[in-house]
Amino acid sequence: MANFSASANCCPSVKNILLLDSEGKRVAVRYYSDDWPTNVTKLAFEKNMFIKTMKTNARMEGYIIHTLSRTTFFIDFASLGRGLVSFHNPYAADITILDDNIIVYKFVQDLHFFVTGSVEENELLLSSVLQGFFDAVTLLLRNNVDNREALKNLDLIFLCLDEIVDRGIILETDASVIAVKVAIQTMDATGAPLAEQSLTQALATAKEHLTRSLLK
């Protein structure tokens, strides 16, 4: 679990969290940086990022294996020669660098999850944000992580984003905590879920995960 309460200048931060579909179209996005001041610049960044990460995942030619801290990365030297470093890790979040930004990402079904930070940011921390977001969405969607379910539950996804990051500052990365907070927010004053029964089940599952993590 990660909780931070100091100022933005001394806290780990992210520039955006993006959820796109398999065609690169927006599902849910949050920007926390002025690096992209207009919607046009945001869309341009999303397009370039989508194209770059699709190419990274689509081909493995020209890659060599580099092992660091028990984690396997595949380094694309063609991109390295152009000043764009691409890593592919088949076991965890993938990492790339674009326009002096670190991007960690994960593709699941027809959804693409992205977290962007400055080039000075710790990529492991960015990966924990990505994993927390993905796992919380998985809990709330009852493992039905696809574009159709995401569009049907956009309110839950945006609540997840709000629980993870506030104005770029990382608040929480524990998926169980995030999912519980989101589920509680969707209940009315009487405690009855405003959404369908699946949300109650998601809340119960998230609480179970949280209890197990506290007992470890």
Side-chain angles (χ1 to χ4, degrees):
M1 183 174 70
N3 282 297
F4 306 98
S5 59
S7 66
N9 292 329
C10 62
C11 283
S13 64
V14 302
K15 291 187 175 183
N16 61 49
I17 302 179
L18 311 174
L19 179 58
L20 307 181
D21 66 16
S22 58
E23 297 179 351
K25 297 179 180 178
R26 290 180 173 181
V27 177
V29 303
R30 282 276 195 265
Y31 280 83
Y32 312 102
S33 169
D34 294 331
D35 288 6
W36 306 276
T38 67
N39 193 52
V40 172
T41 56
K42 291 181 175 71
L43 290 172
F45 173 77
E46 292 165 21
K47 179 180 179 180
N48 292 336
M49 176 192 65
F50 182 79
I51 292 172
K52 178 173 174 57
T53 55
M54 284 296 290
K55 288 180 178 178
T56 301
N57 277 268
R59 58 182 176 83
M60 294 299 294
E61 302 84 7
Y63 285 70
I64 69 167
I65 298 176
H66 174 64
T67 302
L68 178 64
S69 300
R70 300 182 182 177
T71 302
T72 302
F73 294 97
F74 296 84
I75 306 175
D76 180 3
F77 278 89
S79 295
L80 182 61
R82 297 192 299 272
L84 301 173
V85 183
S86 296
F87 300 94
H88 176 70
N89 178 356
Y91 306 109
D94 290 309
I95 305 172
T96 192
I97 294 180
L98 177 65
D99 299 333
D100 292 326
N101 295 298
I102 295 177
I103 302 169
V104 295
Y105 59 99
K106 179 189 292 286
F107 297 169
V108 179
Q109 302 281 11
D110 52 357
L111 290 176
H112 296 194
F113 295 74
F114 302 88
V115 174
T116 304
S118 72
V119 73
E120 294 86 11
E121 197 57 78
N122 186 320
E123 64 269 17
L124 295 178
L125 185 60
L126 296 176
S127 295
S128 72
V129 173
L130 176 70
Q131 194 64 47
F133 178 40
F134 170 74
D135 288 344
V137 169
T138 300
L139 282 171
L140 291 167
L141 298 186
R142 295 185 301 159
N143 293 318
N144 298 317
V145 185
D146 58 39
N147 188 37
R148 181 178 179 181
E149 286 298 315
L151 291 175
K152 287 168 56 178
N153 295 277
L154 276 179
D155 54 338
L156 300 181
I157 293 175
F158 279 111
L159 285 172
C160 275
L161 292 174
D162 293 340
E163 291 295 337
I164 298 168
V165 174
D166 181 22
R167 292 173 292 183
I169 303 302
I170 301 169
L171 302 176
E172 184 60 71
T173 60
D174 188 302
S176 299
V177 175
I178 296 164
V180 167
K181 289 182 177 179
V182 169
I184 289 173
Q185 286 189 59
T186 61
M187 293 182 177
D188 63 17
T190 65
L194 297 176
E196 55 184 326
Q197 178 66 20
S198 61
L199 185 57
T200 302
Q201 296 170 351
L203 176 58
T205 302
K207 286 183 176 179
E208 181 180 350
H209 279 276
L210 178 58
T211 301
R212 289 177 180 176
S213 66
L214 292 175
L215 292 176
K216 288 182 179 179

